[in-house]
Amino acid sequence: MDATSSIIISVFSTSSGSGKTITAINLAAGLAEEGYRTCLVDLDLQFGDVMGYLDMVSDFTIADAQKAILKDEENFKIDDYLTEYKCGDTAFSVLPPPREINDAYLISVEAVEKIISSMKGFNFIVLDLTSVFSTLNLAMLDMSTVINFVGVLDFLPAVKNYKVGYDTLLRFDYEESKICLVENQADSDRYIKARDVERLLGTTIYHHLPSDSSAVTYSIRMGKPLMYCVPLSPLTQSYWQLVGRYTNRTKKSRITPMPVEEKKGAKKILSWLFGDDEWLTAQNMK
């Protein structure tokens, strides 16, 4: 398999707390479950959370991979520096960030480009990027097949950051077809509506992920992706739909229709702060 045959999905955002890492983890898990050889690369070099979310430890990190590839690129084998996450019969590889913050400053863009290019045996490579337009992130976006641009568009500063980020991507000449706008925590009864954001952006949001904080909390506590521990969550079902859109082979059996319940009375604007959304998943996790 040539390096060009690997599909690289970068998960990017311009705001912290957007669900970027959760999205990257569940994309990798879903792609692996569908039978694709998948690698998840945590490129939040200073504060990466992938290993913690998945309750994993590793003997090697991207810092070790960099030393090896710069020392002997011809004989470098990326598999020697990957850690396997396994749940049941499904597994995907993970390349962790450096253990020490000081080591993060020693990671070079050139080395990361070489490391990603060496992953020739993977069908999909999922990159969990930081929320800045850094030199490293721009290099990874250049290499990416798809830019999964995720944001929580529930208040004005976040919407502003999202628009600035999208406009910046366009100014950097990334094709609109390459940028997939993904809205996280897309509750229908929130103050800012998706249609208003779309008018502001001048384009259509590619995918909407519903809010399900209880399922996410349970997933992190279990150290498992959502589809492996909360299969009936609306958020899990939405991640399956997103995986299907990226693979063009959605499996209907994965998607279970959820009953629609109407909540009585007007919902408080800050109800999410007080946990009023627990009705979304409480029954799914019993």
Side-chain angles (χ1 to χ4, degrees):
M1 179 181 296
D2 298 330
T4 54
S5 66
S6 299
I7 297 175
I8 301 176
I9 302 176
S10 60
V11 182
F12 180 59
S13 179
T14 49
S15 299
S16 59
S18 63
K20 178 174 53 61
T21 297
I22 289 293
T23 297
I25 288 172
N26 282 282
L27 281 177
L31 291 166
E33 182 73 11
E34 290 292 279
Y36 296 102
R37 189 170 186 232
T38 304
C39 183
L40 173 58
V41 184
D42 190 343
L43 289 177
D44 186 345
L45 300 178
Q46 294 188 23
F47 302 105
D49 290 325
V50 167
M51 298 297 283
Y53 282 7
L54 294 176
D55 193 23
M56 297 174 65
V57 294
S58 175
D59 294 330
F60 300 102
T61 72
I62 194 171
D64 301 301
Q66 174 176 272
K67 292 177 183 178
I69 201 168
L70 294 181
K71 182 179 181 180
D72 188 1
E73 184 176 354
E74 184 176 347
N75 295 313
F76 175 79
K77 295 180 180 179
I78 185 59
D79 287 347
D80 294 338
Y81 301 92
L82 301 177
T83 301
E84 183 180 67
Y85 176 83
K86 190 169 185 179
C87 185
D89 296 329
T90 303
F92 58 90
S93 299
V94 178
L95 181 59
R99 294 186 189 85
E100 304 293 335
I101 290 181
N102 290 340
D103 290 336
Y105 291 104
L106 302 177
I107 302 298
S108 71
V109 174
E110 179 184 5
V112 176
E113 288 176 326
K114 290 181 178 180
I115 290 169
I116 300 301
S117 296
S118 73
M119 297 181 175
K120 300 178 181 179
F122 289 95
N123 303 114
F124 283 90
I125 302 168
V126 180
L127 308 178
D128 183 17
L129 305 180
T130 53
S131 300
V132 293
F133 282 100
S134 64
T135 303
L136 175 59
N137 279 357
L138 289 173
M140 295 300 100
L141 294 175
D142 287 343
M143 295 182 69
S144 298
T145 313
V146 174
I147 299 173
N148 187 106
F149 186 37
V150 62
V152 178
L153 309 176
D154 58 351
F155 67 112
L156 292 178
V159 174
K160 184 267 293 180
N161 287 347
Y162 199 72
K163 177 171 172 53
V164 170
Y166 180 62
D167 290 345
T168 302
L169 290 171
L170 295 180
R171 283 199 299 273
F172 284 142
D173 292 328
Y174 294 113
E175 296 179 5
E176 290 186 46
S177 59
K178 179 176 178 175
I179 306 169
C180 293
L181 304 182
V182 176
E183 178 192 19
N184 195 15
Q185 299 181 23
D187 295 324
S188 59
D189 54 352
R190 71 180 192 198
Y191 181 71
I192 299 176
K193 303 299 183 182
R195 61 178 180 270
D196 297 323
V197 176
E198 290 177 333
R199 280 198 293 267
L200 177 66
L201 297 173
T203 190
T204 302
I205 294 175
Y206 182 74
H207 192 76
H208 303 271
L209 295 166
S211 177
D212 202 338
S213 59
S214 298
V216 171
T217 300
Y218 184 77
S219 169
I220 295 172
R221 188 165 70 243
M222 295 296 292
K224 295 180 180 182
L226 286 159
M227 50 268 295
Y228 297 165
C229 63
V230 198
L232 296 183
S233 161
L235 180 56
T236 304
Q237 300 298 310
S238 189
Y239 273 125
W240 274 124
Q241 292 170 346
L242 184 58
V243 168
R245 299 188 74 174
Y246 286 148
T247 60
N248 292 321
R249 65 176 203 183
T250 303
K251 291 187 178 180
K252 293 183 179 180
S253 61
R254 300 260 185 222
I255 303 172
T256 304
M258 300 298 297
V260 177
E261 299 182 25
E262 293 186 4
K263 298 182 71 177
K264 297 181 180 179
K267 184 178 178 181
K268 300 185 295 294
I269 292 177
L270 296 181
S271 62
W272 58 270
L273 184 62
F274 304 103
D276 290 348
D277 285 329
E278 291 182 354
W279 63 277
L280 287 171
T281 56
Q283 297 185 26
N284 295 336
M285 295 187 296
K286 289 182 179 179

